[in-house]
Amino acid sequence: HRSEAEADSRYFAVAATPVEVRGGGGGGGGDGHGVAHLLAASTSQAQVDLFLLAEDSAGNARLAPLGRLACTGGPLLCMAFHQHGGSGGGSGGGRATLLLGGGTTGELSVWDLQPLIASLDLSALPPWPMSAAKDGGCVPPTLEGLEWLSPICRVPQLHAMGLNALCLLPGSDGAGGAWGGGLPPAPDEEQGRLVLASGGDDQGVGLCILTLSTHQLAVSDGPREEAA
């Protein structure tokens, strides 16, 4: 793939996660679920290009363009995926596939791309063998009016300047351990927590705690260290 965007457009960060989608497996009948990879690539135009990377029945790599996300916190400098809740089938059932990105303004944005994944069908995707994806040959379409295009959560000014790096760690269950019992226990099995470590242009390293459930996403600030 090579973008046909403006000549000065650049890709800043790439993230990928395995997903289950319809139209694969099923004993070769195309009616089961297959494993593919959802790939996100952030651009200098404050967009995120989304692709599905999969293999067809002949073993050829297929790179299918899915759509573009717009970023309000400037171009994303770093991204990470996290899959929460539910299981299998790709159709939801309380499952969330979160894309987290840090922007040039220091903002953290979080999208839930599970509705997109649930709508995918490998058998219906156009044949995009990577060897045939020439200049501009694999461009994500422009999508409008879809709820999943908007972030489900934004944390403005997680850093005073660019949010350059992030790392996700499993959250505490409230029983002590690495976090010293500082977090209360989750009220039900559908809820979980993430601890996000981040670094920015403001010479700061910070922690942000994300509380996840099938109903909402809450954020609380963690300890923060400034570089000497």
Side-chain angles (χ1 to χ4, degrees), residues 3 5-13 41-47 75-76:
S3 174
E6 293 85 351
D8 63 347
S9 179
R10 303 177 302 282
Y11 281 118
F12 284 161
S42 66
T43 77
S44 56
Q45 306 300 315
Q47 295 176 323
L76 299 186

Side-chain angles (χ1 to χ4, degrees), residues 39-196:
L39 188 148
S42 66
T43 77
S44 56
Q45 306 300 315
Q47 295 176 323
V48 178
D49 291 350
L50 299 174
F51 303 93
L52 189 71
L53 179 60
E55 287 188 358
D56 61 19
S57 58
N60 297 315
R62 300 169 64 188
L63 186 67
L66 301 178
R68 280 177 171 155
L69 303 174
C71 310
T72 61
L76 299 186
L77 302 173
C78 54
M79 296 186 297
F81 276 105
H82 174 73
Q83 297 194 23
H84 169 71
S87 63
S91 60
R95 187 175 181 82
T97 299
L98 304 180
L99 173 65
L100 301 93
T104 54
T105 64
E107 177 177 293
L108 173 71
S109 298
V110 183
W111 290 267
D112 181 8
L113 299 183
Q114 189 60 36
L116 168 64
I117 296 169
S119 70
L120 297 177
D121 187 334
L122 282 176
S123 63
L125 292 176
W128 284 108
M130 295 189 70
S131 59
K134 299 179 181 179
D135 291 3
C138 192
V139 179
T142 299
L143 303 176
E144 297 179 352
L146 299 175
E147 190 172 342
W148 60 264
L149 290 172
S150 299
I152 60 172
C153 176
R154 293 190 184 98
V155 185
Q157 295 293 295
L158 186 60
H159 286 269
M161 300 170 66
L163 202 171
N164 295 325
L166 58 83
C167 179
L168 294 172
L169 303 100
S172 169
D173 61 2
W179 312 109
L183 301 177
D188 56 60
E189 294 181 354
E190 293 184 340
Q191 193 171 64
R193 292 183 177 86
L194 290 176
V195 178
L196 170 69

